[in-house]
Amino acid sequence: MRVGGETTMKPIISGQGQETASPVRANRVRAWLNANAARFPGKPFIESIAQKRVATHGEMAALSAKLGHYLAARGIGANDRVVLLSGNSIEHLIVYLSVLAHGATICTVNVEMNHAYLGDLMAALDPRLVIDEEGLGLSLPE
């Protein structure tokens, strides 16, 4: 919306998020994750029926902060491209939202579907970091 020559945005959420995920400026995804973790820490955030796993809002915020620190330690900042090589899993969503909460750009590549084009995709994306879902080691309750 434009008001008096300036662009203003109506807030999507109320309240402010905690500045715990990474040194990158707070954003709406991080604020949303932290607000939900404060309000509903033990309630399910995402459940994978296929994997028989659940991540709560509290776990999601903690994992997002952990991944944010990991990215920051590797110099990944705002708008840097991060490629996630993955299939469909609970970890995929956790990494996806965590990278967005950090302020970087997430590029997901389904390896099974894009195996033949992986080299071309990597050259076109030119990522600062590639994360392989299999090597994440995210600790969620089984």
Side-chain angles (χ1 to χ4, degrees):
M1 158 190 285
R2 290 181 89 54
V3 178
E6 294 184 15
T7 301
T8 61
M9 296 179 67
K10 182 178 177 186
I12 294 173
I13 61 169
S14 60
Q16 294 191 359
Q18 301 169 9
E19 297 295 324
T20 58
S22 69
V24 174
R25 188 174 73 83
N27 66 33
R28 290 175 190 256
V29 174
R30 183 182 313 147
W32 173 69
L33 291 173
N34 289 336
N36 283 334
R39 287 185 66 199
F40 314 111
K43 289 194 175 187
F45 174 78
I46 182 76
E47 179 176 1
S48 171
I49 295 170
Q51 292 177 282
K52 298 182 175 89
R53 296 170 80 186
V54 174
T56 66
H57 287 278
E59 291 166 333
M60 178 61 214
L63 289 167
S64 178
K66 183 177 179 179
L67 188 56
H69 287 297
Y70 176 87
L71 295 170
R74 280 146 188 81
I76 305 299
N79 297 320
D80 285 336
R81 283 184 292 269
V82 174
V83 167
L84 172 61
L85 303 175
S86 71
N88 293 329
S89 69
I90 199 168
E91 290 83 5
H92 175 101
L93 180 63
I94 291 169
V95 172
Y96 185 92
L97 289 173
S98 298
V99 170
L100 292 177
H102 180 70
T105 301
I106 185 77
C107 308
T108 60
V109 176
N110 185 304
V111 179
E112 290 177 12
M113 291 178 60
N114 296 297
H115 182 72
Y117 306 103
L118 197 53
D120 293 335
L121 285 168
M122 290 298 158
L125 293 171
D126 190 28
R128 290 270 326 270
L129 180 68
V130 176
I131 299 175
D132 181 277
E133 179 186 286
E134 298 300 318
L136 285 175
L138 295 175
S139 52
L140 285 173
E142 294 290 330

